[in-house]
Amino acid sequence: MKQPDETEASASFSLEDTPLAREIADLSARRKALEATDVVLSGRTRVFTVSNQKGGVGKTTTAVNIAAAFADLGARVLVIDLDPQGNASTALGVPHSAETPSVYDVLIDEFPLADIIQTSPESPNLLCAPSTIHLAGAEIELVSQVAREHRLRTALDEYLANVQDHIDFVIVDCPPSLGLLTINAFTAATELLIPIQCEYYALEGLSQLLGTVRMIQKHLNPRLSLSTILLTMYDGRTRLAQQVADEVREHFPQEVLQTLIPRSVRVSEAPSFGQTVIAYDGQSAGAIAYREAAVEIIRRDSALNEGRA
């Protein structure tokens, strides 16, 4: 029997030890770990607002993919699209033309939230209150409304009190600004989730956002807390990404998830097909990362509740 010469053995070893091979092996191991994962939902409704006044940080992408990942774990999830661009509605495959009943009707004309909610074709556990272009004018129209900062909270509290099937998570996707729409989201939520991109100027504007949060806590919603920071657009090949991640963890050691969301073509492609990356390519690196983030959010809450008990 012919023995492999030294050159062949070296080639075999190098192929198995390439970065690509290591990445494939890592993804395979993480997929298996997720398949074996069992999470226990708290039984209460957790209301997140996903916000960052800095644009391009993966805010809407995070909102819809975390929501889809929760739904994939068996949770019942409502996404409220407060961004006039309606990107969250698009990613969830929900119609949001100008004639569609939307969050605008809830905020301005006091429609019941139940009347505008649609079920995403992606999952019966995934619901969406869509945005339409009319929401672009809501910032101005809300100025003259009574209890203008509380209108979303009032509608959401009424919906949750009367809905037949328990909602485990409500995720509010905000516009990239600190106007009345975002204040409505902060007033309605109990938890704030901030996506931060692993790039230069990552923390730019964050102090202003946190200042607004403190104002909301003091005057409008003492229940609101910054519970979760998710690092997005992480590129492990660059030293900058690691430096940014370390800096954010240094400033917010308790809030930052261990899970990192990588730069991913699949994550970028999914909305053009009216899907989240969980449905579009559930085995991709981006989908796995969002599913891991969802599991981590649930488990951190369970651990926190056990600590309080």
Side-chain angles (χ1 to χ4, degrees):
M1 180 185 229
K2 180 184 176 186
Q3 297 296 321
D5 61 28
E6 188 175 327
T7 305
E8 290 174 337
S10 174
S12 174
F13 172 79
S14 63
L15 283 172
E16 293 173 1
D17 198 41
T18 60
L20 179 59
R22 289 196 296 271
E23 182 180 346
I24 292 171
D26 176 61
L27 280 176
S28 178
R30 289 163 61 193
R31 282 192 204 102
K32 290 177 181 177
L34 281 169
E35 289 168 4
T37 295
D38 186 26
V39 295
V40 179
L41 299 171
S42 66
R44 60 191 173 85
T45 301
R46 298 176 66 185
V47 184
F48 287 88
T49 183
V50 182
S51 182
N52 192 328
Q53 71 182 73
K54 192 172 186 303
V57 300
K59 179 180 56 61
T60 297
T61 300
T62 291
V64 297
N65 285 308
I66 285 288
F70 283 146
D72 195 52
L73 290 167
R76 192 163 173 81
V77 188
L78 168 63
V79 176
I80 299 177
D81 189 355
L82 267 193
D83 190 338
Q85 296 179 81
N87 291 336
S89 305
T90 299
L92 294 173
V94 169
H96 58 103
S97 62
E99 299 78 23
T100 305
S102 70
V103 176
Y104 171 86
D105 300 295
V106 173
L107 295 177
I108 304 302
D109 297 323
E110 300 186 10
F111 274 38
L113 196 55
D115 288 358
I116 71 157
I117 288 174
Q118 303 180 43
T119 301
S120 169
E122 195 164 303
S123 167
N125 285 336
L126 193 51
L127 310 175
C128 178
S131 161
T132 63
I133 192 62
H134 296 304
L135 203 57
E139 293 273 8
I140 298 171
E141 293 182 62
L142 278 170
V143 171
S144 61
Q145 298 283 345
V146 175
R148 60 191 182 187
E149 300 94 348
H150 294 272
R151 295 178 80 83
L152 180 62
R153 177 175 176 175
T154 301
L156 180 59
D157 286 348
E158 180 184 351
Y159 171 75
L160 293 175
N162 295 294
V163 68
Q164 291 185 342
D165 297 318
H166 173 74
I167 301 293
D168 296 291
F169 295 95
V170 177
I171 297 179
V172 186
D173 182 39
C174 296
S177 65
L178 293 178
L180 275 171
L181 291 175
T182 299
I183 290 173
N184 262 270
F186 285 167
T187 305
T190 52
E191 301 182 55
L192 174 61
L193 190 163
I194 303 179
I196 296 179
Q197 85 282 28
C198 295
E199 295 180 354
Y200 197 57
Y201 293 138
L203 296 175
E204 186 183 61
L206 194 58
S207 60
Q208 185 181 352
L209 174 61
L210 295 179
T212 301
V213 171
R214 285 190 290 271
M215 181 188 71
I216 298 292
Q217 290 169 327
K218 183 177 180 180
H219 297 289
L220 296 171
N221 182 13
R223 308 176 303 164
L224 181 65
S225 66
L226 170 55
S227 66
T228 311
I229 292 176
L230 180 61
L231 296 168
T232 63
M233 303 181 188
Y234 182 80
D235 187 344
R237 299 169 299 179
T238 68
R239 184 176 299 175
L240 174 63
Q242 186 60 57
Q243 288 174 341
V244 170
D246 291 343
E247 183 180 5
V248 176
R249 292 190 195 283
E250 182 181 342
H251 281 83
F252 304 97
Q254 302 301 318
E255 294 81 6
V256 181
L257 296 182
Q258 291 301 311
T259 304
L260 298 163
I261 306 300
R263 283 196 172 277
S264 169
V265 174
R266 293 301 199 197
V267 170
S268 302
E269 287 176 346
S272 64
F273 292 89
Q275 293 180 310
T276 67
V277 73
I278 309 298
Y280 179 64
D281 186 354
Q283 303 303 309
S284 65
I288 290 171
Y290 274 114
R291 289 163 64 196
E292 288 173 336
V295 169
E296 188 176 350
I297 289 170
I298 294 171
R299 285 184 169 169
R300 280 173 48 154
D301 183 62
S302 299
L304 192 62
N305 289 332
E306 287 174 8
R308 289 172 179 164

